[in-house]
Amino acid sequence: MHTFAYHRPANTRQAAALLAKKETKALAGGQTLLPALKLRLTSVDNVVDLGGIKGLDAIQAKGRNLVVGAMARHAQVATSPVVKKALPALAALAEQIGDPHVRNAGTLGGSIANNDPSADYPAACLGLGATIVTNKRKIPADRFFKGLFETALGRGEIILQVVFPLPKCAAYMKFPNPASRFALVGVFVADFGKEVRVAVTGAGEDGVFRAKDMEAALKKKFTAASLDGIKVPTRGIMSDIHADAAYRAHLVGVMAKRAVAAAGG
Amino acid sequence: MSATGIGARVRRVEDQRFITGRGQYTDDIHRPYETRAYFVRSPHAHATIKSIDKRKAEKMPGVLAVLTGEDVAADKLGDLFCGWMVLSKDGSPMKAGSHPALAKGKVRYVGDHVAVVIAETLDQAKNATAEVKVDYGVLPAVADLRKARDPKAAQIHDNAPKNTVYEWVLGDQAAVDAAFAQAKHVTRLEMVNNRLIPNAIEPRAAIGEYEPGTDTYTLWSTSQNPHVLRLGLSAFIGLCPEHKFRVISPDVGGGFGSKIFIYPEETVCIWASKKVGRPVRWTAERSESFQADAHGRDHVTTGELALDANGKMLALRVKTLANLGGYLSTFSSAVPTFLYAPLLSGQYAIPAIVCEVDGVYTNTAPVDAYRGAGRPEACFVIERLVEVAARELNMDPAELRRRNFVTQFPYQTPVASLYDAGDYKASLEKAIQIADYKNFGRRRQESERRGKLRGVGFSAYIEACGVAPSNLVGQLGAGVGLWESAEISVTPTGMVEVLTGSHSHGQSHETTFAQLVSDRLGIPMNHISVVHGDTDKVQFGMGTYGSRSGPVGMSAIVVAVDKVIAKAKKVAAHILEAAEADIEFKDGKFTVVGTDKSAAFGEIALAAYVAHKFPTAEIEPGLKEHAFYDPTNFTFPAGTHICEVEIDPQTGVTEIANWVAVDDFGTVINPMVVEGQVHGGIAQGVGQALLEGCVYDDSGQLVTGSYMDYTMPRADNLPSFKVDYTTTKCPSNPLGMKGCGEAGAIAAPVALINAITNAVGHEDVPMPATSKAVWHALQKTERRKAAE
Amino acid sequence: MPTVTMTVNGRNVSVDVEPHTLLVQALREKLRLTGTHVGCDTSQCGACVVHVNGRAIKSCTMLAVQAQGADVITIEGLANGSKLHPMQEAFRDNHGLQCGFCTPGMIMSAVDIVKRKGNDLDEHTIREELEGNLCRCTGYHNIVKAIAAGAKAMKSGARA
């Protein structure tokens, strides 16, 4: 990879100042950034390692929310007794990201800041209506994900934590890409009683999206059968060698039903 | 059987270094003052090179040289070559296009070698390659072999009109036509044998080092056959005289065929080392492996099987289009011809067979031997046809096979192969029994109750290993003989060094070869060491591929060991003061027949070296013998695999519910090792059938250029396998061995596709049968049902 | 050039690296611990797995500078002197390797699986947990057997 200057700030203020520079990237778990640098798909002048900032990986249940620090590693979320108790669907999702080694390094903040259209976490954030807390503001998930690898984050803005409202029940169902093991299709469903949310990753040409007609049908009755007859349109659905749009759209329906069933609906 | 003798499950000698991280692979080796090479590769599938401006790159920090095709030409290096001449049906020679180590004037696939930068560090070399300015004249490209002969398709080599390398035929066309005219039933299939990327987990690597003081060259290389590499680089490419050139293949991390060939990268490393006066090292990045390792398979075939009213096979007609890529790789021409058509008779007595093969160039990486090499493709053709014929005739697929098995040996097929021994029914029946085939219907119902589809598929495969004898392969166009050499060097203390021309890159030679010698000489295994992979140590060797190390490599060892015993008997006769004819050798002891006078192997070894007690005018001192062993025939491993699958119709995901393999490999030296070979072979076959498929887009860009898109079989894609044996000894070599390295990869794909089509309910399922493909196939099933 | 100080296989080491030097490069090229291998460039093959502060990671996807102060164990540090780790023994006993190239990563992953999932591992769990390790030789059959056996053997007091 091309060389760069490496910084390891001790707090978010220093980190933000460093990240305000041009050609600078934050290094969280590194599981996307480092391969991209290795393959010279990207190059930067500065790498700001967030690993030296204490407390960014805390996980706490706070009232009706689960608060997960941005630097919490996937393995931490997957095995955290707090997450398993408060929001088992999130622990289960984290357990399915990448492979054990990636889960030991990759982080929640790194994943959603990258907003890979096939990543798992964006589905949980959108499906739970999470709030992304940065050093500057609080961003609702509905306004955070802005298309392929694009987010609402500005320069010098660092994700500190993600606040997940706790649903009555929720589940994530993933159909992995056979090669990369990213989500070919992943569907997160959450029943909040007054609201049902369904978020789909891996399938959308613009990244993670909400399946509004599924939400409406499930709000009437939160059961897999409510999704019978809802055909996911192929427009806007990704097509590649692993799944053409017709197959992917079909899988969205199958995974959604399975998620609802797994959530107990 | 002793604890370490033939047939024992001996733990591997080589494991100690591998499990402790002390293996020595090429990239683990460092030479003083070494430099790094990095290649400028073509981003285009087909383009002229109008100019290369390397001035800026040459001035970059750390850069020692930037070399291009002009430099290769200036130094008069010969082209990379294809070592097997295949003649077209009209007698004309194949159209081998020019293949310089660095492209001159034109590039022919994405990843083709345009220039190389030699620098102090890899980073510096990579930085400089970005500054080598190549002005390409982009040409239309053809990547799909079905379009290669289109009159409007791009012309890849000037000397190969319509991109045709050869139009080859084997068999009796008239006899086949006559038989088809009499047939009651004809089964016809169009089949695509998908293109694969080998993906040994160790990427290819090379270190070239020129020593000016002695004018000698050393090349460390990830080669399956170091002597052949040396021969090719010396005799054909003309790098340096053979006797001044040492090639070392140290520990090699898997080959699967892809490390047989002579590639541009190692050629450049050894050539450039003289130019820069320092060692030059190169290790492929995985992306480079995807682009520029020789790929495998890539056939489009029409097969027709003619049967009579009783299901007796009458004739087989096969027409294959084979993709050979942008250049002819080292043995590429033989793979879809001589390693393919002679196996089309399968395990069956088919009176008439004809096979036509047209080999074509495309703007893709060269295609050459990959585990099985031609034989998986042949097995796929015949075993798909047989299974589908059974379905069309409403016969049990096992029964149709039984009715047509070859049962008398030797059996001359109409496609040149002379089957020497086998019992095909025995392996079929054993597999049926282990797979509990009779209760398949019950399991299918049980699956259906859970909303799943279940299918079963057979593969009664045959293959050929140890391609030989040399005079025959010579007549068929091979540029080399396919014998093997061995040397047994006994030290004065009775320790034994076994030098073999075979090469282990996972096959366990250090264990199994020592086991053989231990068994034969009656000495402990830890008194034996096996040496391979170094042209300065081993006299010569043809290397390891085509499952030849057992039947050919070990046979050579047997011949050499027997010579050692014969010589030692002469010495023993003097030591024991008896006639040579009265000396018996057994269990490591020389005994005078009928007496208790004896001497241990070690004592005779010492006596041979001190040479005090025998006339050296008659018997030379020392105890060291060698052999060059040339087999009299191919060997023909065969067996039956039965695979059972369960498909989730909602997602198209196929799960392998059961896998049974019953193989006849003849004599087995170490069943643990052999079963390991079978497991690995099946996994690669499952990979081909279910997961792996190399994809180029229409412009010739490689879509599956990394593990993000090329699906490698992982542990969770596979079941545990049930592996068993039947045994008929091979009559053409002293041990009765047949070879086992490729059987799994040959048998597996068609078993799986037969099972999946059985579950899906029609034959139109492509390979790889990914979940996407199976789901679409199931939509077709639904539409058919709806139409009925 | 930054200097990284870390503990590798119980030994304190200081290495000069570039900011962009990967941990695997530091191990292989600076410390000549060549048992840790590189088999891909997309962080998938797992030939480079080592333990950093007790966690199995891909050393091709971590900067050497990130290992400042860390405790690193590689395949060379797994055995206790000449006494092999039970997982190493299990791979040999069960023919869990052929060419040996993926083996160091497999063994390091296997030890980590046992730490996380315990000593009684069923086949399904082992296969799922091997998602990040590719082998082209064995078809995984004997690797799965080896890990199950190694996990059991680790129960009897062996260190991880």
Side-chain angles (χ1 to χ4, degrees):
Chain A
M1 65 182 86
H2 295 285
T3 197
F4 46 73
Y6 171 79
H7 311 272
R8 193 174 167 92
N11 56 51
T12 46
R13 197 173 41 77
Q14 288 176 11
L18 288 162
L19 283 164
K21 291 186 197 164
K22 281 187 184 167
E23 300 299 321
T24 299
K25 286 248 184 203
L27 176 65
Q31 301 304 288
T32 300
L33 179 62
L34 293 177
L37 289 168
K38 261 193 319 195
L39 291 167
R40 298 193 168 204
L41 300 173
T42 182
S43 68
V44 291
D45 294 338
N46 295 285
V47 165
V48 181
D49 183 356
L50 304 179
I53 305 172
K54 294 224 163 31
L56 272 188
D57 63 350
I59 298 173
Q60 302 161 276
K62 274 192 182 168
R64 307 185 62 141
N65 292 314
L66 176 75
V67 182
V68 181
M71 288 295 281
R73 288 170 288 100
H74 310 323
Q76 237 176 303
V77 175
T79 57
S80 157
V82 176
V83 181
K84 280 182 163 177
K85 183 156 178 277
L87 190 45
L90 190 70
L93 176 146
E95 181 69 26
Q96 294 177 63
I97 301 172
D99 57 49
H101 322 106
V102 168
R103 293 196 286 276
N104 273 336
T107 64
L108 168 62
S111 170
I112 62 175
N114 185 53
N115 191 19
D116 187 303
S118 303
D120 301 291
Y121 265 136
C125 292
L126 198 59
L128 288 162
T131 301
I132 289 89
V133 180
T134 76
N135 56 336
K136 296 189 173 159
R137 56 185 166 146
K138 293 178 176 174
I139 312 170
D142 282 314
R143 294 211 303 270
F144 181 84
F145 300 105
K146 298 271 188 193
L148 302 185
F149 300 100
E150 295 288 333
T151 68
L153 291 173
R155 192 185 285 176
E157 192 166 15
I158 304 166
I159 302 171
L160 303 180
Q161 52 190 208
V162 179
V163 180
F164 295 99
L166 298 178
K168 278 169 43 184
C169 62
Y172 178 63
M173 205 49 71
K174 173 177 180 175
F175 189 94
N177 177 310
S180 71
R181 303 291 177 105
F182 273 78
L184 194 77
V185 165
V187 180
F188 198 102
V189 298
D191 181 6
F192 289 91
K194 62 181 191 325
E195 184 190 18
V196 172
R197 294 175 70 102
V198 178
V200 180
T201 189
E205 283 175 343
D206 296 322
V208 65
F209 66 90
R210 282 173 66 185
K212 295 283 173 76
D213 41 353
M214 287 189 180
E215 291 181 354
L218 290 168
K219 198 183 165 194
K220 283 182 198 146
K221 195 173 181 206
F222 192 77
T223 173
S226 300
L227 300 177
D228 285 345
I230 296 183
K231 199 165 153 44
V232 179
T234 54
R235 203 161 149 240
I237 297 289
M238 274 199 281
S239 187
D240 57 32
I241 57 167
H242 300 290
D244 50 80
Y247 177 53
R248 248 198 187 88
H250 165 78
L251 283 178
V252 172
V254 175
M255 292 299 119
K257 280 187 191 174
R258 290 183 182 182
V260 173
Chain B
M1 183 177 80
S2 79
T4 62
I6 291 176
R9 293 176 176 269
V10 179
R11 296 190 317 170
R12 300 204 316 167
V13 175
E14 45 273 80
D15 284 355
Q16 177 67 28
R17 65 180 187 274
F18 295 138
I19 58 181
T20 54
R22 310 289 175 182
Q24 280 286 293
Y25 300 88
T26 302
D27 192 57
D28 300 338
I29 293 165
H30 291 273
R31 301 297 302 162
Y33 311 112
E34 67 187 12
T35 65
R36 300 296 295 251
Y38 196 75
F39 286 82
V40 177
R41 294 180 184 275
S42 173
H44 305 293
H46 199 196
T48 56
I49 299 172
K50 291 198 264 185
S51 67
I52 300 177
D53 183 349
K54 56 186 190 180
R55 286 170 300 182
K56 187 168 175 203
E58 282 173 331
K59 294 192 192 100
M60 298 275 287
V63 171
L64 300 164
V66 180
L67 303 170
T68 69
E70 300 283 341
D71 301 295
V72 170
D75 282 6
K76 297 192 168 52
L77 284 196
D79 274 356
L80 303 186
F81 59 94
C82 178
W84 198 308
M85 172 53 73
V86 171
L87 303 178
S88 282
K89 49 189 105 162
D90 65 5
S92 63
M94 67 185 186
K95 308 292 187 289
S98 171
H99 190 189
L102 294 172
K104 186 144 187 297
K106 202 173 176 191
V107 287
R108 293 178 172 87
Y109 65 99
V110 170
D112 201 354
H113 313 68
V114 175
V116 66
V117 175
I118 316 293
E120 298 285 348
T121 72
L122 181 58
D123 277 334
Q124 288 170 336
K126 285 176 94 163
N127 291 342
T129 54
E131 300 302 334
V132 176
K133 299 298 173 209
V134 186
D135 186 9
Y136 293 103
V138 178
L139 299 168
V142 56
D144 182 343
L145 78 166
R146 282 165 290 206
K147 296 177 186 159
R149 298 202 295 175
D150 189 323
K152 288 189 202 122
Q155 176 74 26
I156 298 168
H157 287 278
D158 293 342
N159 64 339
K162 286 177 74 185
N163 294 320
T164 302
V165 180
Y166 49 64
E167 293 176 334
W168 180 84
V169 68
L170 181 68
D172 186 339
Q173 184 83 60
V176 168
D177 291 346
F180 269 84
Q182 302 296 315
K184 274 280 179 292
H185 183 85
V186 173
T187 292
R188 185 174 194 282
L189 285 176
E190 305 281 340
M191 290 162 273
V192 173
N193 206 285
N194 47 320
R195 183 178 178 115
L196 303 174
I197 304 178
N199 275 304
I201 304 296
E202 181 207 22
R204 284 192 292 118
I207 307 168
E209 180 169 343
Y210 174 66
E211 173 54 60
T214 51
D215 190 30
T216 53
Y217 298 75
T218 305
L219 174 66
W220 287 262
S221 170
T222 51
S223 174
Q224 297 178 219
N225 43 346
H227 286 89
V228 177
L229 177 57
R230 183 181 68 163
L231 174 65
L233 290 172
S234 299
F236 295 90
I237 299 173
L239 274 169
C240 53
E242 209 175 355
H243 66 297
K244 296 266 191 182
F245 189 9
R246 177 182 187 186
V247 177
I248 301 170
S249 294
D251 287 329
V252 174
F256 315 109
S258 68
K259 293 172 181 168
I260 298 171
F261 320 119
I262 299 176
Y263 285 97
E265 291 90 352
E266 62 241 20
T267 307
V268 165
C269 281
I270 194 77
W271 168 63
S273 73
K274 186 174 185 182
K275 293 190 91 71
V276 300
R278 290 169 59 183
V280 175
R281 66 186 283 123
W282 168 81
T283 299
E285 294 175 351
R286 180 57 57 184
S287 318
E288 296 182 280
S289 311
F290 272 102
Q291 290 185 349
D293 283 5
H295 294 180
R297 320 281 193 254
D298 209 351
H299 286 193
V300 174
T301 294
T302 305
E304 295 171 281
L305 181 65
L307 302 108
D308 74 9
N310 298 317
K312 274 300 257 187
M313 297 173 196
L314 302 175
L316 173 68
R317 185 190 281 141
V318 176
K319 180 132 181 57
T320 292
L321 192 58
N323 194 349
L324 296 167
Y327 301 96
L328 293 187
S329 172
T330 317
F331 291 111
S332 59
S333 56
V335 176
T337 51
F338 293 108
L339 298 180
Y340 170 66
L343 280 307
L344 282 168
S345 196
Q347 299 184 349
Y348 314 107
I350 309 175
I353 300 175
V354 68
C355 174
E356 289 177 275
V357 181
D358 296 346
V360 295
Y361 285 118
T362 58
N363 293 113
T364 62
V367 180
D368 206 325
Y370 167 68
R371 200 170 193 170
R375 290 151 290 165
E377 296 93 314
C379 179
F380 192 85
V381 169
I382 182 67
E383 287 302 284
R384 274 297 284 150
L385 283 166
V386 171
E387 195 94 354
V388 174
R391 289 171 190 168
E392 289 174 351
L393 295 169
N394 280 320
M395 270 177 80
D396 185 295
E399 180 52 26
L400 181 60
R401 288 178 168 88
R402 281 184 202 108
R403 281 190 200 178
N404 290 281
F405 279 151
V406 171
T407 53
Q408 301 292 313
F409 297 89
Y411 172 79
Q412 178 63 57
T413 70
V415 276
S417 294
L418 179 68
Y419 296 170
D420 52 6
D423 186 345
Y424 308 138
K425 191 163 177 300
S427 47
L428 176 79
E429 303 304 349
K430 194 167 186 180
I432 281 175
Q433 185 232 327
I434 297 170
D436 188 26
Y437 179 58
K438 67 175 189 298
N439 288 314
F440 170 72
R442 206 190 300 161
R443 292 192 294 277
R444 174 176 261 178
Q445 284 171 3
E446 198 276 323
S447 295
E448 281 166 0
R449 276 198 293 278
R450 288 184 287 108
K452 301 287 178 69
L453 304 169
R454 203 174 185 96
V456 63
F458 285 76
S459 171
Y461 77 94
I462 189 164
E463 61 141 330
C465 299
V467 172
S470 295
N471 62 10
L472 174 69
V473 298
Q475 285 165 29
L476 300 180
V480 289
L482 286 170
W483 42 265
E484 194 47 88
S485 101
E487 200 172 301
I488 303 295
S489 182
V490 185
T491 70
T493 56
M495 304 294 145
V496 174
E497 203 173 43
V498 180
L499 298 101
T500 172
S502 299
H503 182 274
S504 177
H505 28 281
Q507 290 90 342
S508 321
H509 296 164
E510 287 167 50
T511 305
T512 55
F513 287 19
Q515 233 178 308
L516 167 65
V517 173
S518 162
D519 188 277
R520 210 83 178 176
L521 289 180
I523 58 173
M525 262 182 78
N526 62 7
H527 288 192
I528 301 161
S529 65
V530 176
V531 177
H532 65 93
D534 185 341
T535 61
D536 265 15
K537 292 184 182 164
V538 177
Q539 53 186 359
F540 206 89
M542 299 314 299
T544 287
Y545 40 82
S547 307
R548 64 194 304 278
S549 298
V552 193
M554 285 209 205
S555 295
I557 290 172
V558 168
V559 175
V561 167
D562 288 350
K563 287 184 188 175
V564 164
I565 294 170
K567 164 92 181 274
K569 274 185 178 173
K570 287 186 203 291
V571 176
H574 287 274
I575 304 301
L576 298 171
E577 296 171 324
E580 190 189 329
D582 292 338
I583 302 290
E584 182 187 67
F585 180 65
K586 208 176 156 211
D587 299 331
K589 253 183 6 192
F590 295 88
T591 309
V592 181
V593 178
T595 73
D596 58 359
K597 278 186 10 185
S598 71
F601 179 76
E603 295 173 57
I604 299 303
L606 186 62
Y609 279 92
V610 297
H612 291 167
K613 294 191 175 166
F614 54 86
T616 51
E618 289 167 32
I619 306 169
E620 286 178 22
L623 194 52
K624 176 176 174 174
E625 297 289 344
H626 73 260
F628 288 81
Y629 170 80
D630 197 27
T632 54
N633 191 2
F634 299 9
T635 69
F636 295 97
T640 294
H641 287 219
I642 301 176
C643 159
E644 223 168 284
V645 298
E646 196 174 76
I647 294 172
D648 177 350
Q650 291 185 21
T651 60
V653 170
T654 300
E655 193 177 315
I656 298 169
N658 194 22
W659 197 292
V660 174
V662 177
D663 299 294
D664 178 358
F665 298 133
T667 301
V668 167
I669 304 290
N670 184 331
M672 178 190 85
V673 166
V674 166
E675 285 153 25
Q677 291 292 315
V678 174
H679 300 153
I682 296 172
Q684 274 169 303
V686 170
Q688 167 160 33
L690 219 47
L691 305 165
E692 298 178 47
C694 169
V695 178
Y696 283 95
D697 70 12
D698 287 342
S699 69
Q701 289 297 325
L702 180 61
V703 179
T704 51
S706 83
Y707 292 142
M708 296 297 282
D709 284 306
Y710 188 85
T711 310
M712 287 283 279
R714 297 188 211 200
D716 59 6
N717 295 122
L718 296 161
S720 286
F721 310 107
K722 299 187 181 96
V723 177
D724 212 323
Y725 307 97
T726 57
T727 304
T728 60
K729 299 266 168 116
C730 174
S732 72
N733 64 58
L735 288 163
M737 292 179 77
K738 298 184 181 180
C740 64
E742 296 158 293
I746 291 165
V750 68
L752 200 44
I753 295 299
N754 283 341
I756 292 171
T757 49
N758 179 237
V760 166
H762 63 80
E763 307 305 333
D764 195 6
V765 178
M767 199 158 64
T770 60
S771 59
K772 173 185 81 170
V774 170
W775 182 78
H776 279 294
L778 287 167
Q779 303 315 299
K780 197 168 177 176
T781 312
E782 291 302 315
R783 286 197 296 276
R784 280 186 190 182
K785 276 189 197 157
E788 276 164 17
Chain C
M1 200 178 262
T3 301
V4 178
T5 304
M6 52 190 169
T7 308
V8 178
N9 299 331
R11 207 161 51 89
N12 288 320
V13 295
S14 283
V15 248
D16 294 335
V17 296
E18 304 269 3
H20 64 280
T21 301
L22 298 165
L23 178 59
V24 69
Q25 292 171 318
L27 293 171
R28 286 180 56 77
E29 289 162 30
K30 303 277 178 172
L31 298 171
R32 290 292 154 91
L33 293 168
T34 54
T36 302
H37 296 149
V38 177
C40 79
D41 44 19
T42 50
S43 309
Q44 278 156 316
C45 80
C48 67
V49 170
V50 300
H51 296 179
V52 175
N53 295 329
R55 293 196 293 264
I57 57 102
K58 287 179 169 158
S59 62
C60 77
T61 314
M62 179 172 177
L63 299 173
V65 286
Q66 288 180 282
Q68 173 62 34
D71 184 15
V72 179
I73 307 281
T74 71
I75 187 69
E76 290 93 342
L78 202 58
N80 188 358
S82 63
K83 188 173 165 27
L84 293 180
H85 186 283
M87 192 58 79
Q88 291 171 312
E89 285 285 11
F91 268 69
R92 174 156 61 188
D93 287 346
N94 291 280
H95 190 30
L97 61 149
Q98 290 179 25
C99 81
F101 195 79
C102 77
T103 309
M106 283 286 177
I107 291 176
M108 297 310 284
S109 293
V111 171
D112 180 64
I113 294 170
V114 179
K115 274 196 213 165
R116 290 183 292 107
K117 301 277 171 180
N119 298 85
D120 288 309
L121 297 171
D122 60 45
E123 178 175 344
H124 178 78
T125 303
I126 296 170
R127 287 183 182 277
E128 294 274 310
E129 289 292 328
L130 285 178
E131 188 168 11
N133 292 83
L134 295 177
C135 169
R136 195 55 149 168
C137 294
T138 64
Y140 304 98
H141 181 111
N142 286 339
I143 290 176
V144 172
K145 266 172 62 184
I147 294 175
K152 284 205 169 61
M154 280 169 68
K155 206 180 218 166
S156 36
R159 74 191 190 99

